[in-house]
Amino acid sequence: MDVVPFVPLLGSTFDDAVAARNDFARWAGEQLGIPCFLYGPERTLPDVRRRAWRDLLPDTGPGQPHPTAGAICVGARHELVAFNVYLQRENFTDAMENYADDVRADSTLGGRLTELPIGLEAPIRKIKDAVQSIVALINADDDIPDVNELAERARVKGALNEVNTTCVRLLKLNDTHVLWFEPNFSTLYLAPLSVSQVLQKNLLRQTPVIATSATLTIGKSFSTTAKNIGFALDGELTEDENSEEKSESAASIDPANVQMLDVGSPFDFANQGMLYLPKHLPEPTRDGPTKEALIELGELIISAGGRTLALFSSWRGVEMADEYLRTELADRGIPIITQRRGDSVGSLVERFSKVPTSVLLGTISLWQGIDVPGSACTLVAIDRIPFPRPDEPVMAARAKERDEAGGSGFMDVSLPRAALLLAQGTGRLIRSIDDRGVV
């Protein structure tokens, strides 16, 4: 966009400055649909404003260079470009809300998207253009800032470039990324199908790496996790092994430079914990927990005196358990904390740990990374093995890719993922050598 032409700092006149400011005010007023205020003695401005403008920028005569006019011209252009970013952001937000309304009316429009919705393409393209205009202004600025300003400029430029890169990927969507739309929060998600090549290029081949976790092994093997991270073990390649370019990248990591060690656990699970599998319950389904399972859960919570982390594989399960338990435990004095979409995990866990007799109901984000040692959590209940849902965009796309490559999406993607989540979920129980409890 070039509504206000670039005016060099040197040689700008009083008239140039007036024109630049007026062009910005006129354009902004048109975009917002409001009156604009114009500068200059020929405009019908109050005398006070006219004098203030003249005091700020005294006239040196028609067509004569002015020492500060150029700076004001450039400032007007900067204001225009910055305002355009704000305007395009608002337009994009409106477009997202409109598409969310369409998805709520027709659920087939949601979930994974094979291409960018038409109604979002133009707003995203305008954001990209607006961001590129700001980056161009930053690059064209010849002023040498101090160290702090230089660091801030680099940070801003990095953020703008990230926005630009994301816009380009959205506009040129290919099979290396997965795109989906979440109507509840009017959010468009874009995720790489595999992160292995990104980690190889930017991390694993650049510097020594130490990767640690309690759940790096699946079935006592590091193989699945290592391949997903970007290592090639036992002559195998990463998930994208049918790409010649990517195969060369994977092969460039020398297996001799990869060392793996399982140091075991400091906890004595056999004596600290107990596994309870109620065989009398019906098989779980994707429709949420059965009535029998909810009754069993309520009885277990009462026996534990609260102190329960109940993990569900779907929001439907969380909602059904919340509805049942609030009625069943109403007279028991057991507080129920239920995760809602968009809730902060940290605040939920803090409330749970501070009220030892409480119950925390949650879904996938609570299966991993939370730490509640002590008596506040003595029972971890899991509704079913957490296999990825068929409508989970990234996992479904990875499984489909493996199937199309002649492998097994279930064995190579879905099963390892479920095993990993199950290990992480059960690991919420024993968090110290003094903990005791039941899964």
Side-chain angles (χ1 to χ4, degrees):
M1 183 186 61
D2 201 23
V3 177
V4 178
F6 176 75
V7 181
L9 182 59
L10 298 177
S12 298
T13 68
F14 172 82
D15 292 335
D16 292 329
V18 171
R21 281 289 187 175
N22 286 344
D23 283 345
F24 168 67
R26 186 180 298 107
W27 180 84
E30 290 174 354
Q31 298 299 318
L32 296 175
I34 60 177
C36 59
F37 297 97
L38 303 179
Y39 297 108
E42 74 284 359
R43 309 298 181 186
T44 56
L45 291 178
D47 289 341
V48 173
R49 290 191 55 133
R50 188 181 306 128
R51 287 196 300 271
W53 174 249
R54 287 293 184 177
D55 292 341
L56 175 66
L57 188 63
D59 194 356
T60 55
Q64 295 299 313
H66 193 283
T68 59
I72 291 180
C73 291
V74 174
R77 179 175 177 81
H78 289 186
E79 289 175 350
L80 176 63
V81 173
F83 181 79
N84 188 46
V85 172
Y86 163 79
L87 186 66
Q88 300 312 328
R89 186 198 69 180
E90 294 298 300
N91 291 339
F92 175 69
T93 300
D94 291 341
M96 290 285 283
E97 290 292 344
N98 291 337
Y99 187 72
D101 291 339
D102 293 340
V103 174
R104 295 185 190 106
D106 182 0
S107 60
T108 61
L109 298 175
R112 186 186 178 188
L113 303 172
T114 56
E115 60 183 15
L116 190 65
I118 296 176
L120 300 180
E121 182 175 345
I124 290 176
R125 192 177 302 280
K126 289 180 179 180
I127 286 180
K128 177 180 71 69
D129 294 341
V131 166
Q132 288 177 344
S133 296
I134 291 188
V135 173
L137 286 177
I138 294 176
N139 292 335
D141 190 348
D142 295 330
D143 288 345
I144 301 177
D146 60 29
V147 175
N148 293 332
E149 186 177 344
L150 189 64
E152 178 66 10
R153 181 180 295 187
R155 185 190 67 80
V156 171
K157 187 176 177 181
L160 291 170
N161 284 331
E162 184 68 23
V163 173
N164 181 68
T165 299
T166 301
C167 289
V168 170
R169 285 176 177 163
L170 287 168
L171 294 168
K172 297 181 178 180
L173 189 64
N174 56 41
D175 58 5
T176 64
H177 284 73
V178 181
L179 178 68
W180 72 98
F181 187 82
E182 169 53 62
N184 291 315
F185 301 105
S186 300
T187 304
L188 195 64
Y189 292 91
L190 181 69
L193 187 61
S194 170
V195 298
S196 60
Q197 300 305 318
V198 176
L199 291 176
Q200 276 190 19
K201 178 181 178 181
N202 298 288
L203 181 64
L204 301 181
R205 288 188 284 154
Q206 302 296 327
T207 184
V209 174
I210 299 176
T212 65
S213 174
T215 50
L216 282 177
T217 60
I218 298 176
K220 298 183 179 181
S221 171
F222 286 97
S223 179
T224 298
T225 302
K227 286 192 295 182
N228 290 340
I229 290 175
F231 295 109
L233 303 179
D234 302 325
E236 297 180 345
L237 299 178
T238 58
E239 295 176 357
D240 304 297
E241 57 189 354
N242 57 340
S243 167
E244 181 179 351
E245 178 183 352
K246 294 177 181 179
S247 295
E248 291 176 357
S249 174
S252 67
I253 297 180
D254 185 356
N257 291 331
V258 181
Q259 300 181 24
M260 300 189 182
L261 177 64
D262 186 346
V263 298
S265 171
F267 306 139
D268 184 359
F269 293 109
N271 291 313
Q272 289 184 252
M274 181 171 63
L275 179 64
Y276 171 58
L277 296 174
K279 295 182 178 180
H280 61 281
L281 296 181
E283 289 291 328
T285 68
R286 295 188 181 276
D287 297 328
T290 62
K291 180 69 173 181
E292 294 85 349
L294 292 175
I295 293 174
E296 185 82 12
L297 175 61
E299 292 175 350
L300 289 170
I301 291 174
I302 293 172
S303 298
R307 310 176 191 278
T308 300
L309 173 62
L311 301 173
F312 298 86
S313 56
S314 67
W315 285 110
R316 173 64 176 156
V318 174
E319 293 161 357
M320 292 175 65
D322 176 76
E323 181 180 2
Y324 173 80
L325 293 175
R326 288 192 184 278
T327 301
E328 183 67 18
L329 304 180
D331 299 328
R332 298 283 181 170
I334 298 177
I336 299 175
I337 304 169
T338 303
Q339 182 185 20
R340 307 296 183 187
R341 289 176 173 86
D343 279 353
S344 168
V345 171
S347 61
L348 291 172
V349 174
E350 183 178 5
R351 290 170 56 196
F352 177 54
S353 63
K354 287 183 176 179
V355 184
T357 60
S358 63
V359 175
L360 176 56
L361 312 177
T363 186
I364 297 299
S365 58
L366 291 179
W367 287 61
Q368 51 193 331
I370 69 170
D371 188 27
V372 185
S375 61
C377 182
T378 60
L379 172 63
V380 172
I382 295 175
D383 68 335
R384 58 189 291 271
I385 297 176
F387 287 107
R389 303 188 315 273
D391 61 348
E392 188 175 336
V394 176
M395 300 307 297
R398 289 177 179 172
K400 180 181 178 182
E401 183 189 50
R402 294 301 298 158
D403 288 336
E404 292 176 348
S408 170
F410 177 77
M411 295 299 296
D412 297 339
V413 178
S414 300
L415 186 58
R417 174 64 173 169
L420 179 64
L421 277 178
L422 188 61
Q424 291 174 331
T426 56
R428 299 312 97 201
L429 180 67
I430 306 299
R431 309 302 299 173
S432 75
I433 60 175
D434 297 320
D435 285 350
R436 300 290 187 275
V438 178
V439 173

